[in-house]
Amino acid sequence: MNVLKFGGTSVANAQNISKVIEIITKKSQEDKLIVVVSALSGITDLLLSASNTAAKKDKNYNEQLNLIKAKHLEVVETLLTLDKKNDLIVILDKELEQLKTLLDGCFLLGELTPRTLDIILSFGELLSSQIIAVALEKKITRSLFKDSREIIKTNANFGKAAVDFKITNELIQNYFKSVDASVVLFPGFIASSINGNTTTLGRGGSDYTAAILASALNANSLEIWTDVNGMFTANPKIVKQAQPIASISYQEAMELSHFGAKVLYPPTIQPVLNSNIPIWIKNTFEPEAFGTLISNDSKTNGNPIKGISHIESIALITVEGSGIIGVSGSSKRLFETLSNHNINVIFITQASSEHSICIGIQNQDAEAAKSAIDTTFEIEITQNKIDACVVEEDLCIVALVGEKMKNHQGLSGKMFSTLGKNNVNIRAIAQGASERNISVVIAKKDVQKALNTLHERFFEENTKQLNLFVMGVGNVGEKFINQIYQQKKFLKENLKLNLRVIALSNSKKMYFDEDGISLKDWKKLLVEGETANKEEFITKTKAFNYRNSIFVDITANNEVATIYDQFLKENIAVVTCNKIAASSQYDNYKNLKYLSRKFNAPFLFETNVGAGLPIIDTLKHLIVSGDKVHKIQAVLSGSLNFIFNNFSETYSFHDVVKEAGVQGFTEPDPKIDLSGIDVARKILILIRESGYEMEIEDIKNNSFLPEECMNTTNNDDFFTSLIKHASHFENLLVQAKEKNSRLKFVATFENGKASVGLEFIPPNSPFYNLEGKDNIVQFYTDRYVDQPLLIKGAGAGADVTASGIFADVIRIGNV
């Protein structure tokens, strides 16, 4: 004999019930079956809501009652033929009339007792089971309906009654001695007390009903049919990469279900465990899928962790003080107080010093628990021996579960370091002597990040997911997104990095997708997005609270550069080609570096100097290895190098500046490049990264632009001024030829002083043959004295800048 239980989603409507009947019919050809069914999906919640509404003397309970009736009649109309339908409707009307009488009584009395609530909630399973029983008769003539209340007996603890197994087992066994049917169908969840009052077995109790029947009859197996392919390594609604667990032990399943794995009601396992009856978790909508087998045999496949689960809406209560150190009975008084107030303790941890005890309970019990505990320890609190208990609400418990965890060292360290790297603060820790689980209490807002981070660490072959929030999708931004699109598969297969762009924004629109934006259609999606709003962008990015989040600034906007601290404080890394932040006031630069370290959020700006060249990265390696920079000489503007390399008697200064802009070598405002401020910012960043303190005002800027050009306020006026002062630029060219030199805009740092300006470079200088848009940097250090360390290559252009930003993102992924 096999026992099958079908949950609420499996019997949600006529279509689903038809699938259930197909499964039962097929399996009944192989063996005799006991079938247990839940209420139609959502009905128990409606019954509970109607009860509370009636008890509040709110007549809207009638609307909820009508909805309950309509849902059942809709199933009957669709599922049954006319001859079966009419008889069943008579039965349903009678049941629903009794339900209405009970709700009317709650309304008149203005109260809802636990006993009455159990009777009301029982109607969900009673109605669904009778409908399914009638429908089943069409397929299986030797099928019976049996009311669970007649054979499952409990105490009178209404709401979550305890089963009297001695009486129950005897009643079940005696009943089946006299029954010769292919299928016997029972309503789940409900039972009755010894004196005949209806009781319930707790939410999820239909699983428990099936387990009680299976245990009493020593069934071959217990099958729990639901809407997923078994138990998962994590909640698949929160962790998209969660995988079904093929095999798991009773103890592991019990731990996972206790910590919130909703496919199995925790008490279900105990009745079948001693009899070694295997439990299968199967999917009604994919009956051929393997599912999960729960038994004494648990296969690890090399991974000691079987799953990650969590419980939401937890409150942490701390009892602390010298008055509990070495005082016997303190713990007894605490837990006895909670027990007397019917408050369930989910989590316990005590400091080895005995100075404090932390317990985790449901949020809803927090106020009552605090009041009760403070009353119990009133004398000690008055004498300042114990502090009034402290309550922290809106927390979650996250647990790693695995039977083989005790044989593997370092799992706790991996768990804590993984959470720490993602700035998930752990409020309390517990690990049982069995070492089947490690539990931590964290803030509710961090639960999605924590579950995904831990799942990535323990189940995803070290694949790391990076979540990008990109601001600025102009020339460079477009190249960057295209590079991600082209390399996405390669990165996943070869570097184990999964890049998702969660948000895009330009100056007009912004678009978010929590599952990752389709980069194939990103332009269209952005156009259809909401109006761009910097503050809203920040708020939404924080609210997602994704692990490995990276804010990517591909603008030259001063306002955007001022918001980096808001991301870093939230453990969101910042990657930027915007030079303004790193070249702002030194205190701000240092603060961003400090926040990056404190919150373990990388702050990378490689493209600030040299676009895609590894200048800053090389400099960092020099410094951390103990070298010291004494002198820097550099041509740091690819745009200016392009301009002076192409400026000639036949190609005017005005025209070559225009061409540089067309090719994307200059900033949108070319005066930023030509004024020297851009180069000054770059050398300032290198100076600071070398370990020196300096402000932008300390750098001498020997500008080659006429004052009138500098004083223009828009691009049109600026280009007009370049034409007006053409002779000035031509004269520079003449002087360079006379000196057999080339014009280069050079940045220099030496002896604590820095300057930028146009210089005449002789043929023997390494700067002389610098072509196109190339940059060159020379570092003179303790180790590189006579011959400097030289870095040379393309230092401007959308593609190389985008690749530099991309490289910074990959650096974060490889940390």
Side-chain angles (χ1 to χ4, degrees), residues 195-209:
N195 57 6
N197 291 316
T198 296
T199 58
T200 62
L201 304 176
R203 291 299 293 266
S206 292
D207 289 356
Y208 195 28
T209 301

Side-chain angles (χ1 to χ4, degrees), residues 742-791:
R742 288 187 173 180
L743 292 168
K744 303 292 178 186
F745 199 87
V746 179
T748 304
F749 169 72
E750 189 173 12
N751 297 323
K753 295 182 179 180
S755 64
V756 298
L758 196 63
E759 294 185 12
F760 297 100
I761 304 299
N764 62 348
S765 169
F767 295 177
Y768 184 84
N769 291 314
L770 199 61
E771 300 297 333
K773 57 183 181 297
D774 285 359
N775 279 192
I776 187 170
V777 179
Q778 296 182 137
F779 291 113
Y780 292 84
T781 72
D782 284 347
R783 295 171 189 157
Y784 296 89
V785 182
D786 298 323
Q787 293 295 324
L789 174 62
L790 187 148
I791 303 169

Side-chain angles (χ1 to χ4, degrees), residues 468-482 501-513 516-533 537 540 552 554-555:
L468 311 185
F469 299 80
V470 182
M471 188 172 283
V473 287
N475 195 16
V476 176
E478 182 175 347
K479 300 288 185 185
F480 172 67
I481 294 166
N482 289 341
V501 177
I502 305 298
L504 289 171
S505 178
N506 58 22
S507 59
K508 296 179 180 178
K509 293 283 187 177
M510 62 182 188
Y511 181 78
F512 286 78
D513 187 330
I517 296 170
S518 169
L519 299 187
K520 187 177 179 181
D521 308 311
W522 71 268
K523 288 185 179 180
K524 179 184 175 184
L525 294 170
L526 183 58
V527 169
E528 296 171 353
E530 58 191 295
T531 302
N533 182 299
F537 188 96
K540 284 194 171 187
V552 184
I554 316 180
T555 74

Side-chain angles (χ1 to χ4, degrees), residues 526-744:
L526 183 58
V527 169
E528 296 171 353
E530 58 191 295
T531 302
N533 182 299
K534 179 165 57 71
E535 295 305 322
E536 185 67 18
F537 188 96
I538 296 168
T539 301
K540 284 194 171 187
T541 301
K542 290 179 181 179
F544 276 112
N545 198 23
Y546 282 154
R547 69 203 189 280
N548 307 321
S549 291
I550 305 173
F551 172 65
V552 184
D553 177 14
I554 316 180
T555 74
N557 188 288
N558 183 65
E559 288 188 9
V560 177
T562 64
I563 64 175
Y564 297 169
D565 61 328
Q566 297 187 53
F567 292 112
L568 295 172
K569 288 175 183 176
E570 298 294 327
N571 184 237
I572 299 170
V574 174
V575 169
T576 179
C577 63
N578 187 341
K579 292 176 279 291
I580 294 173
S583 61
S584 62
Q585 291 295 309
Y586 184 77
D587 286 346
N588 183 58
Y589 162 81
K590 291 297 287 183
N591 183 53
L592 294 176
K593 289 278 193 173
Y594 165 75
L595 293 175
S596 173
R597 292 190 302 273
K598 180 179 180 181
F599 295 100
N600 195 34
F603 172 39
L604 301 183
F605 42 89
E606 183 65 67
T607 50
N608 279 196
V609 183
L613 294 176
I615 297 172
I616 294 176
D617 192 52
T618 302
L619 178 56
K620 284 180 178 177
H621 287 304
L622 286 177
I623 301 304
V624 298
S625 68
D627 206 352
K628 184 173 179 62
V629 174
H630 301 290
K631 179 181 178 181
I632 304 171
Q633 281 187 309
V635 173
L636 294 173
S637 175
S639 54
L640 283 175
N641 200 46
F642 174 87
I643 289 167
F644 285 112
N645 279 337
N646 289 278
F647 177 35
S648 66
E649 294 90 342
T650 58
Y651 200 6
S652 73
F653 193 76
H654 167 274
D655 291 344
V656 77
V657 173
K658 274 279 190 183
E659 180 62 24
V662 169
Q663 294 198 27
F665 298 152
T666 66
E667 299 285 352
D669 178 3
K671 192 168 63 175
I672 294 174
D673 294 286
L674 272 70
S675 67
I677 185 62
D678 186 60
V679 175
R681 285 173 177 160
K682 291 176 180 178
I683 191 66
L684 177 63
I685 292 168
L686 293 183
I687 292 167
R688 288 175 171 178
E689 291 296 297
S690 298
Y692 296 94
E693 181 176 344
M694 186 173 283
E695 302 288 0
I696 192 75
E697 295 83 8
D698 299 329
I699 299 173
K700 185 178 181 182
N701 187 346
N702 300 310
S703 177
F704 66 91
L705 286 178
E707 189 174 344
E708 184 178 343
C709 298
M710 290 290 293
N711 291 335
T712 56
T713 57
N714 58 68
N715 283 359
D716 288 340
D717 289 347
F718 177 71
F719 280 109
T720 299
S721 72
L722 294 184
I723 295 172
K724 181 177 179 180
H725 292 278
S727 60
H728 168 76
F729 303 112
E730 290 166 3
N731 186 49
L732 292 173
L733 196 60
V734 170
Q735 290 182 60
K737 286 193 174 184
E738 289 175 351
K739 295 179 180 180
N740 190 28
S741 300
R742 288 187 173 180
L743 292 168
K744 303 292 178 186

Side-chain angles (χ1 to χ4, degrees), residues 13-227:
N13 50 50
Q15 182 181 2
N16 292 3
I17 292 172
S18 295
K19 293 181 184 295
V20 167
I21 291 172
E22 285 178 22
I23 293 168
I24 296 170
T25 302
K26 183 177 179 180
K27 286 188 169 286
S28 68
Q29 295 169 4
E30 303 167 2
D31 202 351
K32 290 184 177 182
L33 302 180
I34 294 173
V35 176
V36 178
V37 295
S38 296
L40 304 187
S41 181
I43 291 299
T44 303
D45 286 336
L46 276 171
L47 288 166
L48 182 60
S49 178
S51 304
N52 289 322
T53 303
K56 293 175 184 175
K57 289 190 169 290
D58 183 344
K59 290 186 177 181
N60 284 326
Y61 74 89
N62 284 305
E63 293 180 13
Q64 293 162 322
L65 180 61
N66 290 335
L67 184 56
I68 291 167
K69 182 176 181 179
K71 282 196 170 195
H72 287 91
L73 290 178
E74 181 183 353
V75 171
V76 171
E77 290 288 340
T78 309
L79 193 64
L80 300 176
T81 56
L82 185 63
D83 57 327
K84 297 286 184 182
K85 186 188 305 180
N86 292 335
D87 292 342
L88 183 57
I89 287 175
V90 171
I91 295 171
L92 293 183
D93 282 344
K94 184 178 178 181
E95 297 278 10
L96 289 165
E97 190 59 38
Q98 291 180 23
L99 174 59
K100 185 177 188 314
T101 300
L102 288 165
L103 291 171
D104 288 344
C106 292
F107 176 80
L108 291 171
L109 295 173
E111 69 174 14
L112 176 64
T113 65
R115 176 180 168 181
T116 302
L117 180 60
D118 266 8
I119 299 172
I120 291 171
L121 294 182
S122 72
F123 281 89
E125 272 71 16
L126 285 171
L127 294 171
S128 68
S129 59
Q130 290 182 83
I131 293 171
I132 295 168
V134 173
L136 195 59
E137 288 175 3
K138 294 195 303 181
K139 293 281 186 178
I140 305 171
T141 54
R142 292 176 59 244
S143 61
L144 296 175
F145 169 80
K146 180 66 174 175
D147 191 334
S148 304
R149 293 176 293 185
E150 296 176 14
I151 57 173
I152 298 179
K153 295 297 177 179
T154 71
N155 63 9
N157 184 16
F158 299 103
K160 196 173 183 181
V163 176
D164 186 325
F165 280 97
K166 183 178 180 181
I167 297 174
T168 296
N169 288 344
E170 186 177 339
L171 287 170
I172 292 171
Q173 290 161 4
N174 287 339
Y175 171 73
F176 276 94
K177 284 177 183 176
S178 60
V179 168
D180 182 25
S182 298
V183 177
V184 182
L185 188 140
F186 291 86
F189 177 58
I190 62 174
S192 67
S193 62
I194 301 300
N195 57 6
N197 291 316
T198 296
T199 58
T200 62
L201 304 176
R203 291 299 293 266
S206 292
D207 289 356
Y208 195 28
T209 301
I212 292 165
L213 290 164
S215 175
L217 298 169
N218 196 26
N220 296 326
S221 69
L222 166 61
E223 298 178 10
I224 307 293
W225 290 80
T226 180
D227 57 356

Side-chain angles (χ1 to χ4, degrees), residues 333-347:
R333 291 170 64 195
L334 172 62
F335 294 114
E336 191 172 65
T337 297
L338 295 170
S339 176
N340 291 339
H341 287 79
N342 203 27
I343 295 170
N344 183 40
V345 177
I346 302 168
F347 176 99

